[in-house]
């Protein structure tokens, strides 16, 4: 396959990620709201930023897969790097907002009741994200796509974050 065909095929990775993140975002935000779990809500917003990041990656892969033209003699493949930068910025902004909300809750000494059932949501989320990680990792190797390798590592990071959320919820329930 040519570079452009690889870039077109690589779009399947962000599509799978977007679908998984959409499902997990809704589940975590609803569970966090009903179980009064700020950890799940924060993890849900983390997944929301991942949706935005994967949309940016998908757009970048689409634009990068365009063949050379009169204005771009060597093609558009460098757009993939720009989409990675946009994705990183989106994740930074959302992460910073979650940090601000957490610090505010600490200083206002807000207390929340912890429901250990929220840990189940985190474990299920980790299982889903491990599956998405394995899919994107395999696709990245097959297509030799650095963007998909980065996306797969982000998927793995989210699986670990979900496990961490579950551990935090279980630990807080012992207080």
């Amino acid at each position: 396959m040519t570079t452009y065909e690889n870039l077109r095929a690589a779009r399947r990775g962000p599509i799978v990620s977007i679908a998984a993140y959409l499902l997990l975002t809704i589940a975590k935000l609803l569970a966090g709201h009903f179980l009064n779990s700020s950890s799940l809500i924060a993890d849900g917003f983390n997944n929301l930023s991942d949706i935005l990041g994967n949309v940016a990656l998908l757009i970048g892969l689409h634009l990068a897969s365009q063949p050379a033209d009169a204005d771009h003699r060597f093609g558009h493949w460098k757009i993939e790097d720009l989409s990675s930068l946009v994705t990183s910025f989106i994740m930074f902004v959302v992460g910073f907002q979650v940090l601000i909300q957490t610090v505010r809750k600490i200083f206002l000494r807000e207390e929340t009741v912890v429901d250990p059932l929220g840990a189940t949501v985190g474990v299920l989320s980790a299982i889903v994200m491990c599956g998405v990680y394995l899919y994107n990792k395999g696709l990245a190797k097959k297509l030799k796509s650095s963007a998909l390798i980065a996306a797969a590592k982000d998927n793995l990071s989210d699986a670990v974050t979900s496990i961490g959320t579950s551990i935090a919820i279980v630990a807080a329930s012992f207080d």
Side-chain angles (χ1 to χ4, degrees):
M1 283 204 294
T2 68
T3 301
Y4 296 111
E5 290 170 334
N6 278 352
L7 287 169
R8 285 190 183 118
R11 289 187 255 172
R12 290 182 300 204
I15 291 170
V16 169
S17 293
I18 290 167
Y21 283 130
L22 184 60
L23 174 73
L24 295 176
T25 297
I26 292 168
K28 288 178 184 179
L29 291 177
L30 287 174
H33 174 73
F34 289 115
L35 298 175
N36 198 26
S37 171
S38 57
S39 296
L40 279 177
I41 291 172
D43 203 14
F45 279 114
N46 175 47
N47 289 148
L48 182 61
S49 73
D50 290 320
I51 290 171
L52 297 174
N54 276 281
V55 166
L57 180 60
L58 184 61
I59 291 169
L61 287 170
H62 172 72
L63 294 174
S65 68
Q66 302 303 308
D69 56 30
D71 294 330
H72 304 92
R73 293 184 310 151
F74 300 107
H76 298 86
W77 54 273
K78 278 295 198 179
I79 293 174
E80 184 179 2
D81 295 336
L82 180 61
S83 69
S84 296
L85 178 65
V86 170
T87 301
S88 299
F89 181 73
I90 290 169
M91 287 188 270
F92 171 77
V93 169
V94 172
F96 191 71
Q97 288 175 341
V98 169
L99 176 67
I100 289 171
Q101 290 172 353
T102 302
V103 169
R104 184 184 63 79
K105 285 184 177 187
I106 290 170
F107 282 117
L108 295 176
R109 298 184 189 273
E110 290 182 18
E111 290 187 29
T112 57
V113 178
V114 178
D115 190 336
L117 289 176
T120 305
V121 175
V123 170
L124 292 174
S125 175
I127 292 168
V128 169
M129 290 317 302
C130 280
V132 174
Y133 161 72
L134 292 172
Y135 176 80
N136 280 334
K137 182 181 174 189
L139 190 60
K141 281 185 176 181
K142 177 182 173 187
L143 301 175
K144 296 181 178 121
S145 170
S146 60
L148 279 182
I149 290 170
K153 287 180 182 178
D154 185 47
N155 298 145
L156 182 60
S157 169
D158 288 327
V160 171
T161 299
S162 293
I163 291 293
T165 299
S166 296
I167 291 170
I169 291 169
V170 169
S173 68
F174 289 121
D175 265 352

